[in-house]
């Protein structure tokens, strides 16, 4: 009999219904009742991880403390639970097959024919239970990527079928998230797609224990009764999931629907303690009732797809609530920055954030944005590539290294102020070969970042291959660029600031990955606060 309980979340009818948000919301409610909860994501694509995927393909690549490049849903998990995830929280088909093939090559299967059942399914079951067997969690929620019926998802569905049987009664349950479409011509909600989705799940040997129904309209008693009758679930286990104004409303909506209560009932766990959501609701109140607003420009080259910068956008929501201000994001494509764009858009901003990224495309626009923010004293935050663009801009326009660049963009630049790490030069593989995960950073006294963090040593997550070139450090510092954060072990530059500027910070790491509802990242909080001050000063100046 299992000591850890397992909840599996599957999806039907359509993709992008929000399995990750439902899983994170349920986890939040269970955590708020006192249970130790974690969430993992099983992704059916054959890539080893999303590290080499274009953001247009899969959105943001999220990075954990232990250096795993993972699905962006892990960001939701951390933001909701305020707890770190790890490599064990994200499993892909590519990783599963790679592990099985490696075992076969080592002779671990003793000459047996390697097949989907039992070898692939055994590997999946093993990965699902790694977190549960650690003894750290009472409940493990596993989100299955894709949609039921997809050929790629079949091994995962089969693994769940086997695992439910092996775990025994009341040790696991399946939540099926589905869509109840509204047909405007008929003026009614239709349950047939959900019925077919549940039937497809049953054909694989799995009966849904709970239905979570995404809908634009209220389901009502009769429709819930119909779904219960045709889908073999109790009526109290038919959960309505209406569209919400913010994802942070979803835990409260699921609490009203009783998703946590019915889950605990089916897992035979006590539900006497009500969820403690005081801090969560304080955040929501501030988020929904701002006292002022600011507009910050997000300068990037993947701005058409908002998921490309998901953690940054969420970090601004957290920091905005902390400052009781609404943060409006003006997404500006770095390839399209012209003098007109600078005049009509960037000049009116209260703050500028230059986003991370890879490759040559759009970097000149980023450099122009940095220059304008620096020269016009607009609060500036550069993240990863954004920090590197700040160094290049300063080298070109202040130190007069006219062709300063990164060797990533121009291998023949006469002034490589950003260069590849020496140990990276012989590496040809792209996946998992960068400086990844949490690294220490020592902060300089009398700096913006020292005031922001309040600590001398911080730990932040990285995802990059190129670094500040220390050969140019003395000349840049002499010209007014301050090095205010370095790695204590390697001496690598982590943070730059500019002396003659009210708030100008570039960081080599990704602070957005560590921002949560309960703990908004201090760097984003301070940046937003600086934009509020700038906006107020601008208003006073215009009124004068």
């Amino acid at each position: 009999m299992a000591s850890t309980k397992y909840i599996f979340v599957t999806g039907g009818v359509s993709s992008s219904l929000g399995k990750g948000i439902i899983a994170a919301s349920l986890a939040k409610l269970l955590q708020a009742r006192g249970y130790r909860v974690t969430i993992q994501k099983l992704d059916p694509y054959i890539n080893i991880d999303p590290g080499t995927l274009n953001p247009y393909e899969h959105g943001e690549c999220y990075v954990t403390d232990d250096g795993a490049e993972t699905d962006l849903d892990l960001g939701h998990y951390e933001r909701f639970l305020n707890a770190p995830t790890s490599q064990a929280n994200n499993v892909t088909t590519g990783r599963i097959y790679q592990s099985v093939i490696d075992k076969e090559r080592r002779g671990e299967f003793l000459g047996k024919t390697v097949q989907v059942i039992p070898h692939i399914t055994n590997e999946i079951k093993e990965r699902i239970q790694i977190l549960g067997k650690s003894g750290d969690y009472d409940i493990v929620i596993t989100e299955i990527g894709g949609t039921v019926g997809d050929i790629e998802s079949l091994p995962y569905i089969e693994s769940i079928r086997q695992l439910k049987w092996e775990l025994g009664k009341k040790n696991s349950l399946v939540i099926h998230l589905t869509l109840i479409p509204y047909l405007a011509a008929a003026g009614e909600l239709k349950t047939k797609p959900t019925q077919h989705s549940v039937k497809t799940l049953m054909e694989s040997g799995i009966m849904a224990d709970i239905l979570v129904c995404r809908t634009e309209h209220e389901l009502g008693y009769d429709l819930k009764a119909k779904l219960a009758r045709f889908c073999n679930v109790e009526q109290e286990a038919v959960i309505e999931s209406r569209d919400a104004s913010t994802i942070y409303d979803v835990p409260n909506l699921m609490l009203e629907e009783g998703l946590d209560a019915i889950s605990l009932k089916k897992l035979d766990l006590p539900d006497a303690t009500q969820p403690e959501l005081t801090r969560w609701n304080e955040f929501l109140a501030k988020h929904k009732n701002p006292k002022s607003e600011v507009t910050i420009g997000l300068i990037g080259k993947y701005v058409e797809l908002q998921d490309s910068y998901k953690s940054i956008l969420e970090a601004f929501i957290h920091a905005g609530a902390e400052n009781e201000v609404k943060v409006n994001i003006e997404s500006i494509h770095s390839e399209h920055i012209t003098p007109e764009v600078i005049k009509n858009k960037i000049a009116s901003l209260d703050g500028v954030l230059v986003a991370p990224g890879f490759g040559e495309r759009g970097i000149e626009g980023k450099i122009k944005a940095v220059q304008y923010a620096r020269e016009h004293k607009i609060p500036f935050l550069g993240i990863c590539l954004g920090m590197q663009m700040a160094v290049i801009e300063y080298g070109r326009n202040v130190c007069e290294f006219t062709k300063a660049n990164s060797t990533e963009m121009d291998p023949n630049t006469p002034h490589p102020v950003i260069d590849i790490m020496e140990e990276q030069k012989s590496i040809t593989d792209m996946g998992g070969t960068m400086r990844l995960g949490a690294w220490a950073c020592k902060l300089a006294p009398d700096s913006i970042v020292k005031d922001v963090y309040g600590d001398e040593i911080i730990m932040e997550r990285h995802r990059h291959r190129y670094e500040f070139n220390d050969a140019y450090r003395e000349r840049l510092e002499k010209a007014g660029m301050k090095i205010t954060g370095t790695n204590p072990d390697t001496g690598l530059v982590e943070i730059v600031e500019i002396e003659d500027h009210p708030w100008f910070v570039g960081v080599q790491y990704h602070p957005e990955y560590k921002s949560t509802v309960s703990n908004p990242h201090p760097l984003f909080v301070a940046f937003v606060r600086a934009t509020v001050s700038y906006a107020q000063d601008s208003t006073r100046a215009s009124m004068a």
Side-chain angles (χ1 to χ4, degrees):
M1 196 67 74
S3 57
T4 300
K5 308 281 187 173
Y6 293 85
I7 297 174
F8 303 105
V9 181
T10 61
V13 180
S14 171
S15 59
S16 302
L17 291 182
K19 291 192 301 294
I21 300 301
I22 291 297
S25 297
L26 175 57
K28 181 65 194 176
L29 294 175
L30 295 173
Q31 182 193 61
R33 286 176 177 267
Y35 289 100
R36 300 173 302 159
V37 188
T38 191
I39 322 173
Q40 65 179 178
K41 175 76 178 290
L42 305 184
D43 271 312
Y45 53 76
I46 300 176
N47 302 69
I48 298 298
D49 57 46
T52 57
L53 287 173
N54 188 307
Y56 288 133
E57 287 280 329
H58 203 68
E60 163 189 273
C61 175
Y62 189 78
V63 177
T64 60
D65 278 339
D66 63 350
E69 295 176 287
T70 71
D71 184 81
L72 62 82
D73 274 327
L74 268 71
H76 291 311
Y77 305 162
E78 291 200 8
R79 287 187 283 273
F80 276 58
L81 293 178
N82 192 39
T85 54
S86 68
Q87 179 67 72
N89 292 81
N90 192 200
V91 179
T92 67
T93 294
R95 196 172 294 280
I96 293 292
Y97 273 82
Q98 184 184 56
S99 177
V100 170
I101 290 169
D102 287 345
K103 288 178 180 177
E104 185 273 333
R105 292 288 83 187
R106 293 195 298 267
E108 291 186 24
F109 299 129
L110 304 176
K112 293 285 187 182
T113 302
V114 178
Q115 298 175 288
V116 173
I117 303 172
H119 301 97
I120 298 299
T121 53
N122 282 350
E123 185 75 22
I124 292 171
K125 289 188 293 182
E126 183 181 320
R127 297 300 180 102
I128 289 172
Q129 294 178 91
I130 284 175
L131 292 165
K133 289 179 178 178
S134 69
D136 295 331
Y137 304 105
D138 304 309
I139 301 169
V140 175
I141 300 177
T142 301
E143 175 194 348
I144 314 300
T147 306
V148 168
D150 294 347
I151 191 168
E152 296 95 339
S153 299
L154 288 175
Y156 293 107
I157 299 299
E158 169 60 19
S159 299
I160 292 170
R161 185 197 67 77
Q162 294 179 22
L163 201 51
K164 276 181 66 67
W165 179 261
E166 293 166 10
L167 290 169
K169 291 183 178 180
K170 299 198 172 185
N171 285 316
S172 68
L173 65 86
V174 172
I175 297 174
H176 191 53
L177 177 64
T178 182
L179 176 68
I180 308 293
Y182 179 78
L183 295 187
E188 61 180 344
L189 293 161
K190 307 300 287 186
T191 65
K192 191 63 71 177
T194 292
Q195 294 178 45
H196 282 298
S197 182
V198 171
K199 181 182 177 183
T200 300
L201 193 60
M202 291 177 67
E203 286 172 351
S204 297
I206 296 176
M207 185 178 294
D209 298 288
I210 298 172
L211 279 183
V212 176
C213 304
R214 283 299 308 275
T215 174
E216 298 176 2
H217 303 275
E218 184 179 355
L219 294 181
Y221 178 88
D222 291 340
L223 211 61
K224 283 190 174 184
K226 181 179 179 181
L227 284 164
R229 183 166 58 250
F230 281 99
C231 298
N232 290 341
V233 297
E234 299 154 331
Q235 189 163 336
E236 65 177 339
V238 179
I239 305 296
E240 176 184 297
S241 178
R242 293 274 291 276
D243 292 350
S245 60
T246 168
I247 59 173
Y248 300 109
D249 279 328
V250 179
N252 281 320
L253 295 175
M254 292 300 98
L255 178 62
E256 291 173 13
E257 283 289 303
L259 177 59
D260 56 328
I262 188 65
S263 298
L264 291 172
K265 177 182 175 182
K266 289 183 174 293
L267 292 173
D268 196 27
L269 290 171
D271 70 343
T273 304
Q274 288 302 302
E276 170 51 58
L277 294 171
T278 303
R279 175 71 181 88
W280 187 271
N281 289 324
E282 286 174 352
F283 155 77
L284 269 176
K286 289 181 179 179
H287 173 52
K288 293 185 174 185
N289 300 284
K291 295 178 179 177
S292 61
E293 59 184 83
V294 294
T295 301
I296 295 174
L298 174 60
I299 316 296
K301 62 180 181 178
Y302 306 114
V303 294
E304 299 94 335
L305 182 66
Q306 291 298 292
D307 276 356
S308 300
Y309 304 111
K310 192 64 176 175
S311 290
I312 290 174
L313 297 176
E314 298 305 315
F316 275 130
I317 290 175
H318 307 155
E322 188 72 8
N323 284 286
E324 297 185 83
V325 59
K326 179 182 179 183
V327 179
N328 300 306
I329 300 298
E330 178 80 36
S331 295
I332 300 173
H333 201 298
S334 58
E335 276 192 296
H336 304 153
I337 292 180
T338 62
E340 290 75 23
V341 170
I342 291 174
K343 178 182 177 182
N344 298 329
K345 289 188 176 181
I346 296 179
S348 61
L349 296 172
D350 301 312
V352 171
L353 182 145
V354 175
F358 293 91
E360 183 179 1
R361 184 171 63 89
I363 69 154
E364 293 302 326
K366 291 186 175 185
I367 291 170
K368 288 185 177 73
V370 174
Q371 181 178 5
Y372 191 88
R374 178 180 61 80
E375 292 178 347
H376 292 81
K377 304 296 191 286
I378 301 174
F380 170 84
L381 177 60
I383 297 177
C384 199
L385 184 66
M387 172 266 206
Q388 296 176 1
M389 295 301 100
V391 173
I392 292 170
E393 189 279 326
Y394 207 81
R396 288 182 184 181
N397 298 315
V398 178
C399 297
E400 298 182 350
F401 305 146
T402 53
K403 293 185 179 180
N405 214 325
S406 166
T407 52
E408 179 183 9
M409 322 305 173
D410 180 6
N412 299 314
T413 174
H415 293 292
V417 292
I418 303 295
D419 199 5
I420 195 167
M421 293 182 285
E422 192 63 37
E423 60 268 27
Q424 291 281 339
K425 290 183 178 178
S426 61
I427 296 175
T428 56
D429 283 356
M430 298 290 288
T433 58
M434 295 178 280
R435 184 149 75 103
L436 290 164
W439 289 64
C441 176
K442 184 177 181 179
L443 305 181
D446 301 320
S447 63
I448 292 174
V449 287
K450 182 66 168 62
D451 291 340
V452 165
Y453 285 95
D455 293 319
E456 183 180 358
I457 301 291
I458 59 171
M459 296 291 291
E460 292 283 3
R461 300 177 190 178
H462 293 65
R463 182 177 182 251
H464 62 98
R465 184 171 282 110
Y466 290 78
E467 301 277 359
F468 181 103
N469 187 345
D470 208 53
Y472 287 86
R473 179 170 179 167
E474 184 178 344
R475 281 174 282 181
L476 285 164
E477 284 190 304
K478 188 175 180 180
M481 175 166 274
K482 298 168 64 179
I483 308 303
T484 58
T486 55
N487 180 271
D489 299 317
T490 64
L492 291 170
V493 171
E494 299 278 9
I495 307 172
V496 298
E497 298 179 16
I498 290 177
E499 291 177 349
D500 185 25
H501 197 287
W503 210 98
F504 189 106
V505 177
V507 296
Q508 183 62 80
Y509 50 83
H510 290 259
E512 70 273 21
Y513 290 150
K514 295 184 73 172
S515 186
T516 71
V517 170
S518 298
N519 286 300
H521 196 284
L523 198 59
F524 277 88
V525 172
F527 177 48
V528 170
R529 189 182 303 123
T531 67
V532 172
S533 298
Y534 178 81
Q536 291 171 347
D537 289 343
S538 298
T539 302
R540 285 197 295 272
S542 63
M543 290 174 66

